Amino acid sequence: MFLDIHNHSQTFDANIKKVFNLDITVSTLGEDLEHFFGENESVSVGIHPWSVSEDSFFEQLEVLEYLAGDSRVKAIGEIGLDKLNGPDLKLQEEVFLKQIRVAEVVKKPIIVHCVKSFNELIAIKKVVRPKVPMVIHGFNRKVDLAKELTQKGFFLSFGRALMESDLVKEALRNISLDQVFFETDDDKALVVSEVYEMAADILKINIEELKDKIYQNYLELYL
Ligand SMILES: [Zn+2]
């Protein structure tokens, strides 16, 4: 079975286990929560840093707390920090910390969105010491950072950047496969099997072996 650990597409494929991401935006407040899930059996739910509303984040957090325990919710995310978009970083941090606490209560892994804020992310993990795993989605940086993050216990999920960047390929080659996932995110032109094929090629391993390994990682994410 292929695993696509982070995506926003509402399509289904019998060969791919998909974890759909549901963002608790201000416009979803007051919506019927069942409608929110649709047909999805595996979802991640969180307040994306871009969606954090200064006026409404308490209501957004209430929705998250309400949904987090649902058996269809496999992870809390994508949540995190973004220096290029969204509200003030202080507010992003406050809401990120509150969502980490929710993940700890329900004992579910966290899907992290991090843009130009890796020092802050590392500092938060060091101080908070969450017991739940943290998966950084859409990893698109160099080998040094990949090594540092995996040594600090983060998991990395690779998508489009792995198809295009030699530096990202090198990063994958130099970290433990125990801490790796694959994803398509919001890229409608990408199928996760293509990412697996690329990774198998980079790592010079059999694709079936890779599928089993990544699926095993997924099962082990849950405490
Ligand atoms: Zn995403």
Side-chain angles (χ1 to χ4, degrees), residues 11-23:
T11 56
F12 297 91
D13 184 323
N15 298 313
I16 306 172
K17 167 111 179 153
K18 291 186 174 188
V19 182
F20 294 96
N21 195 85
L22 300 173
D23 185 12

Side-chain angles (χ1 to χ4, degrees), residues 61-192:
L61 285 164
E62 271 173 20
V63 174
L64 177 67
E65 281 164 10
Y66 180 79
L67 294 175
D70 192 290
S71 62
R72 292 167 290 185
V73 174
K74 306 302 181 193
I76 304 303
E78 60 187 291
I79 62 176
L81 304 170
D82 192 324
K83 279 194 190 151
L84 297 183
N85 271 299
D88 182 76
L89 200 69
K90 275 273 150 271
L91 178 63
Q92 290 188 28
E93 278 184 352
E94 183 184 341
V95 176
F96 184 36
L97 287 168
K98 287 191 159 75
Q99 295 187 92
I100 292 173
R101 231 164 277 146
V102 174
E104 290 270 80
V105 170
V106 295
K107 297 187 169 60
K108 291 180 183 177
I110 295 168
I111 308 288
V112 179
H113 170 104
C114 184
V115 175
K116 298 202 184 292
S117 314
F118 285 100
N119 290 338
E120 290 83 354
L121 176 64
I122 288 166
I124 284 173
K125 187 169 191 291
K126 198 174 166 191
V127 173
V128 178
R129 297 185 170 279
K131 288 192 190 69
V132 295
M134 299 177 97
V135 181
I136 297 171
H137 103 82
F139 187 77
N140 59 1
R141 303 285 300 269
K142 293 183 200 166
V143 63
D144 300 8
L145 184 62
K147 281 186 183 169
E148 185 184 358
L149 291 168
T150 50
Q151 277 159 10
K152 291 187 156 66
F154 289 97
F155 292 73
L156 303 182
S157 174
F158 295 83
R160 170 60 71 187
L162 189 71
M163 314 298 284
E164 295 173 349
S165 162
D166 288 341
L167 293 173
V168 176
K169 291 181 172 75
E170 194 197 343
L172 174 65
R173 212 177 279 123
N174 285 283
I175 58 171
S176 165
L177 205 47
D178 294 344
Q179 285 161 279
V180 168
F181 290 102
F182 302 112
E183 64 175 62
T184 56
D185 199 7
D186 55 0
D187 192 329
K188 290 190 177 62
L190 188 64
V191 183
V192 81

Side-chain angles (χ1 to χ4, degrees), residues 1-4 15-18 42 180-182 196 208-222:
M1 180 74 92
F2 290 108
L3 171 74
D4 185 347
N15 298 313
I16 306 172
K17 167 111 179 153
K18 291 186 174 188
S42 302
V180 168
F181 290 102
F182 302 112
Y196 273 77
E208 291 304 319
E209 209 179 300
L210 184 61
K211 281 160 75 174
D212 289 349
K213 174 62 193 151
I214 301 301
Y215 207 81
Q216 196 59 40
N217 289 352
Y218 176 67
L219 298 177
E220 284 171 14
L221 270 195
Y222 299 93

